[in-house]
Amino acid sequence: MITLTGVHKTFGPNRVLRGVTLTIPKASSMVIIGGSGTGKSVLLKCILGLVKPDQGSITLDGIDALKTERDAFLARFGMLFQGGALFDSMRVWENVAFRLMRGPKALPKADARTIALEKLRRVGLTPDKADLFPAELSGGMQKRVGLARAIAAEPEIIFFDEPTTGLDPIMAGVINALIREIVTEMGVTAMTITHDMTSVRAIADRVAMLHDGLIRWTGPVEQMDEARDPYLQQFIHGRATGPIAAVR
């Protein structure tokens, strides 16, 4: 579904991406791991066209992502943001239906609300939560609302940015299970950025480790523990010593 070939991105003297090559198969779940500041978020922004690579190519279904019509391109994506990114002034259902009520194909308010309620049900939230404001929800519920919004327009591809950050282990497990179910049932292509190895094992079909602007290792999640790459092994086991220097 998504192919990156030799992608470079530099900000001043900082070479963030130094030749990333990666293939994300259709209808599969790819998880990108790596330490803070290794370029994971920049990579995601390059795919979405929010940041233009200095070099290299990015294709979506074989079409150059940098040359395609932007609105049609972005309509294929859903996004679960790390902090939820819900609109405080909008009710829960309005957040979920935000995309549905905008643009040339905007739905009538009543139809958009019906879809929003169904998506809320899909992530385990009852209709009585629909007319609340985000501030009236717990962190776990807010994350579920963000997930409902990500799937509201039936996207082909969904990006998950640190989906379990700030959640307790039980709620993180619930979110991981929901992501796995949605990817499987909807047949979407998923790309997740996370530091949480429990999430990696729960939701990944394939894993790619990004370090120092390069993909150090990529492969099926079931092969991750047996891989010999020292960078990968240090990261997944949280070892203080190894080729990845700890920032003091």
Side-chain angles (χ1 to χ4, degrees), residues 5-232:
T5 306
V7 175
H8 291 253
K9 185 60 189 179
T10 299
F11 296 96
N14 188 14
R15 298 177 65 198
V16 180
L17 303 178
R18 300 191 300 118
V20 171
T21 295
L22 182 66
T23 298
I24 302 175
K26 189 172 184 177
S28 68
S29 177
M30 171 70 79
V31 177
I32 311 294
I33 61 174
S36 298
T38 55
K40 300 187 302 299
S41 293
V42 172
L43 182 63
L44 186 153
K45 290 176 182 178
C46 284
I47 296 173
L48 289 173
L50 303 176
V51 169
K52 185 177 180 180
D54 301 323
Q55 185 179 331
S57 66
I58 300 172
T59 62
L60 179 66
D61 263 350
I63 300 171
D64 190 333
L66 302 178
K67 296 179 181 178
T68 189
E69 198 277 319
R70 294 300 300 158
D71 288 343
F73 176 75
L74 291 175
R76 303 177 73 176
F77 290 85
M79 179 83 189
L80 175 62
F81 297 92
Q82 179 175 340
L86 301 178
F87 297 107
D88 294 337
S89 61
M90 293 183 178
R91 298 185 186 278
V92 163
W93 80 264
E94 292 172 319
N95 270 279
V96 175
F98 183 80
R99 177 189 284 188
L100 302 176
M101 296 190 293
R102 283 159 179 80
K105 297 182 180 179
L107 295 177
K109 188 173 181 179
D111 293 345
R113 179 182 169 87
T114 297
I115 293 174
L117 290 175
E118 170 56 25
K119 300 307 180 186
L120 288 169
R121 183 205 62 77
R122 178 65 189 79
V123 299
L125 291 177
T126 52
D128 60 296
K129 303 296 189 297
D131 289 309
L132 299 179
F133 289 97
E136 299 177 276
L137 303 178
S138 67
M141 287 185 180
Q142 289 185 23
K143 192 73 76 168
R144 292 192 196 203
V145 173
L147 184 53
R149 180 175 62 184
I151 66 174
E154 303 284 343
E156 299 172 58
I157 305 160
I158 305 180
F159 287 162
F160 301 99
D161 186 4
E162 298 287 357
T164 58
T165 295
L167 301 180
D168 65 68
I170 294 174
M171 184 51 63
V174 170
I175 295 299
N176 286 334
L178 282 170
I179 290 173
R180 185 72 254 182
E181 289 174 14
I182 286 168
V183 170
T184 301
E185 293 177 9
M186 294 179 61
V188 300
T189 301
M191 175 177 162
T192 304
I193 293 172
T194 186
H195 298 94
D196 183 352
M197 291 311 301
T198 301
S199 289
V200 174
R201 298 179 193 281
I203 67 178
D205 293 317
R206 297 182 63 82
V207 178
M209 181 177 180
L210 184 64
H211 177 73
D212 197 23
L214 292 167
I215 298 295
R216 292 289 318 184
W217 181 87
T218 185
V221 65
E222 59 267 19
Q223 295 180 11
M224 179 174 65
D225 290 316
E226 305 303 321
R228 296 183 178 182
D229 185 86
Y231 292 85
L232 176 69

